[in-house]
Amino acid sequence: MVNLSDCRQIHCIGIGGIGLSAIAEILIARGYKVTGSDMRESDITEKLIADGANIFLGHREKNVEGADLVVYSAAVGNDNPELARAKELNIPTATRAEVLGLLMSEYEDSIAISGTHGKTTTTSMVSLILKDAKKDPTILVGGNLSEIGGNVKVGDSRYFVTEACEYMDSFLSLKPKIEIILNIDSDHLDYFKDIDHIARSFETFASLVPEDGTIIAYDANPFVKSVVKERANVVTYGLNESCDYYAGDIVFNGEGMPDFNVNHRGKVLCNVQLSIPGEHNILNSLAAFACCHILGVEAESIARTLQSFTGTQRRFDIMGTTSEGIKIIDDYAHHPTEIKATLSAVKNMKHNKMWCLFQPHTYTRTMALFDDFAESFGDADKIVLAEIYAAREKNIYKISSKELVNRIKEAHPDKEVYFFKDFEEIASFVYNNAEPGDLVITMGAGDIYKAGEMILEKDRKF
């Protein structure tokens, strides 16, 4: 196993990615000489250079020379010339997740937030609660959080907060003292065989917590309950009074924002008013509340931070309102469970018709969850699909969003469902057909948000 204390110079392959760039920032702050490579310049690489990193454009064998450790992102294959050269020179190599685990092991209270859905929001909540409570945590989030000016903040305390992604079993390299398991659902089926395979990985993840640590688990997910049932150090949360932490007296205002009491073992601790909508965010906030309350943060302090939290980038972003009063929202939801939760949240907001502009993310996910996707749009009035966002994949299945449109029409014969091949067509159609008071939500993990931007731009012009 690599020992970071033996390293002086660390080279990062794919340093411009949101995950590895955060690791690089932490390493720079801790005094390591950091070099890296990426295929293109970006705001991320410019910031790292300003912080002191030496970054090369393009992947070349000579870039790793002088390194004591080479770290690589999940996107880097074994055929990468820098990775191959490092192995030739017997330079130790490690994945991003492995280095993240090494960094976590140096903190007394390391917190890992896992689950198929809600990781970024809950990680952001925990981070800001600890930050506002003057705990000065080191933070690593999977999205941009305006309060810390990006997705990473290097603190100076015993607290380390990070997302724990299950894809490729990368979270099994982490070293958490406290774990949050939000939910377990079928996803990433290009790697996992099935839901049982996913659950087994989460069970292994739960076993990483030491006896004096804590697992915070959602009580209503059967797979979560299964993976923690043999563990003694479990704290539960949910909507059931049998949970250690549970929400009661829930009401929603006209904008779909929830108000509820937080109960701890039968006692009301405080009232929480969220500024982000939906029942799913009640659950996310309960998990964050439980975590920070266990760490000694006062209930009222937690409630104040939760009320001020307005979300992370691409998580229910209100992009703007047209001159006709049509509200445009963008959300990262790209799994059927997430789509249902987000549309349910929108339903509680004042609106006329709800338009959902959805871009499926990856061919494997679209194929594996095809029928689930078709069933997930019940709360939308009008559904517009863009073509599938390929991400890291090639279309070996020869599938298109057109097939999903037909299946949605079968599942919801009362719905208007459309397909357009590019965003300009989508924006023009919605701009010309949406009516005053309608709400338009762009949805997906790709670049569908651009369609919302185009609608607002058309409104500014005309």
Side-chain angles (χ1 to χ4, degrees):
M1 176 60 71
V2 175
N3 189 337
L4 288 179
S5 62
D6 295 334
C7 301
R8 184 182 63 87
Q9 181 173 323
I10 300 175
H11 181 78
C12 302
I13 309 173
I15 197 169
I18 193 166
L20 190 49
S21 64
I23 296 294
E25 280 201 46
I26 295 171
L27 292 171
I28 292 168
R30 293 173 72 88
Y32 294 97
K33 180 181 179 181
V34 174
T35 65
S37 60
D38 214 284
M39 294 306 295
R40 59 188 64 85
E41 294 176 325
S42 66
D43 292 342
I44 291 175
T45 57
E46 288 179 10
K47 183 179 186 306
L48 288 170
I49 290 169
D51 288 343
N54 183 19
I55 297 179
F56 308 100
L57 283 183
H59 300 300
R60 299 177 182 85
E61 291 183 357
K62 64 180 182 180
N63 293 345
V64 304
E65 293 175 5
D68 302 306
L69 173 67
V70 171
V71 187
Y72 56 98
S73 71
V76 173
N78 290 326
D79 58 347
N80 181 278
E82 295 182 13
L83 188 58
R85 181 60 173 160
K87 291 176 179 178
E88 283 179 15
L89 296 174
N90 291 318
I91 300 172
T93 62
T95 65
R96 171 195 173 275
E98 288 168 340
V99 173
L100 176 56
L102 292 172
L103 290 170
M104 290 178 74
S105 66
E106 299 177 3
Y107 290 78
E108 190 172 340
D109 285 306
S110 55
I111 304 155
I113 292 91
S114 71
T116 317
H117 322 292
K119 290 187 292 293
T120 297
T121 296
T122 309
T123 303
S124 299
M125 288 174 170
V126 171
S127 299
L128 294 179
I129 292 167
L130 294 176
K131 176 177 173 288
D132 291 350
K134 311 301 182 187
K135 302 292 188 183
D136 196 20
T138 293
I139 299 165
L140 205 164
V141 191
N144 286 321
L145 184 59
S146 59
E147 290 88 345
I148 63 172
N151 73 316
V152 62
K153 172 191 171 294
V154 180
D156 184 19
S157 75
R158 60 193 278 177
Y159 301 98
F160 189 105
V161 186
T162 184
E163 283 189 36
C165 182
E166 73 277 9
Y167 184 55
M168 303 289 288
D169 280 333
S170 62
F171 65 172
L172 301 185
S173 296
L174 305 187
K175 302 289 189 293
K177 177 76 171 292
I178 297 176
E179 271 181 15
I180 295 176
I181 305 180
L182 298 166
N183 41 65
I184 299 173
D185 203 350
S186 291
D187 200 10
H188 299 305
L189 296 174
D190 56 329
Y191 173 74
F192 294 110
K193 296 182 181 68
D194 51 30
I195 186 65
D196 292 329
H197 184 191
I198 298 169
R200 286 195 300 274
S201 288
F202 272 91
E203 187 171 10
T204 304
F205 179 62
S207 72
L208 300 178
V209 177
E211 288 185 5
D212 61 342
T214 306
I215 301 171
I216 299 165
Y218 176 42
D219 87 307
N221 183 290
F223 297 103
V224 175
K225 291 179 78 168
S226 174
V227 303
V228 302
K229 66 181 179 182
E230 301 297 329
R231 306 287 300 185
N233 50 352
V234 176
V235 171
T236 60
Y237 73 93
L239 304 181
N240 191 311
E241 292 184 5
S242 64
C243 298
D244 295 308
Y245 291 84
Y246 62 93
D249 304 307
I250 301 168
V251 294
F252 292 88
N253 68 17
E255 291 302 310
M257 309 303 176
D259 179 304
F260 58 95
N261 289 330
V262 176
N263 300 269
H264 181 229
R265 295 172 182 163
K267 177 185 175 183
V268 176
L269 293 181
C270 64
N271 175 260
V272 171
Q273 300 171 26
L274 295 183
S275 299
I276 51 177
E279 184 179 286
H280 62 296
N281 279 319
I282 296 176
L283 296 172
N284 291 337
S285 64
L286 274 176
F289 192 107
C291 176
C292 296
H293 194 246
I294 288 166
L295 289 170
V297 183
E298 294 291 333
E300 294 297 338
S301 174
I302 299 172
R304 281 194 298 273
T305 298
L306 290 174
Q307 182 171 359
S308 67
F309 178 66
T310 56
T312 55
Q313 186 176 334
R314 297 222 59 210
R315 271 71 175 181
F316 217 86
D317 275 352
I318 298 176
M319 301 176 69
T321 304
T322 72
S323 56
E324 293 289 322
I326 299 163
K327 184 175 285 188
I328 312 293
I329 295 173
D330 177 60
D331 194 81
Y332 194 71
H334 56 284
H335 184 282
T337 301
E338 296 166 353
I339 294 168
K340 287 180 181 178
T342 303
L343 294 182
S344 176
V346 173
K347 189 171 65 173
N348 289 317
M349 300 174 68
K350 292 178 182 176
H351 66 276
N352 179 24
K353 298 290 186 183
M354 186 201 306
W355 294 69
C356 180
L357 317 185
F358 179 63
Q359 179 188 42
H361 187 262
T362 72
Y363 305 110
T364 52
R365 182 181 285 115
T366 305
M367 284 288 293
L369 304 174
F370 191 79
D371 288 337
D372 293 328
F373 275 117
E375 297 285 349
S376 63
F377 295 95
D379 285 328
D381 297 299
K382 300 173 187 286
I383 304 151
V384 181
L385 263 63
E387 193 49 275
I388 298 167
Y389 187 84
R392 56 189 172 267
E393 298 180 349
K394 297 188 183 303
N395 191 6
I396 61 174
Y397 304 97
K398 308 301 180 187
I399 188 175
S400 166
S401 290
K402 293 177 185 177
E403 285 83 26
L404 186 54
V405 164
N406 293 332
R407 183 66 187 86
I408 294 170
K409 287 179 177 178
E410 291 175 11
H412 302 286
D414 58 321
K415 305 292 183 187
E416 295 182 35
V417 191
Y418 306 92
F419 167 78
F420 296 101
K421 63 181 180 181
D422 61 49
F423 295 157
E424 180 59 41
E425 286 184 274
I426 290 175
S428 296
F429 178 75
V430 175
Y431 180 73
N432 292 324
N433 289 279
E435 298 177 349
D438 283 1
L439 188 151
V440 177
I441 182 162
T442 58
M443 192 177 287
D447 55 356
I448 186 65
Y449 63 88
K450 293 177 181 177
E453 293 175 344
M454 290 176 181
I455 294 169
L456 292 169
E457 182 61 27
K458 287 178 184 295
D459 186 65
R460 282 191 288 270
K461 286 182 177 179
F462 299 111

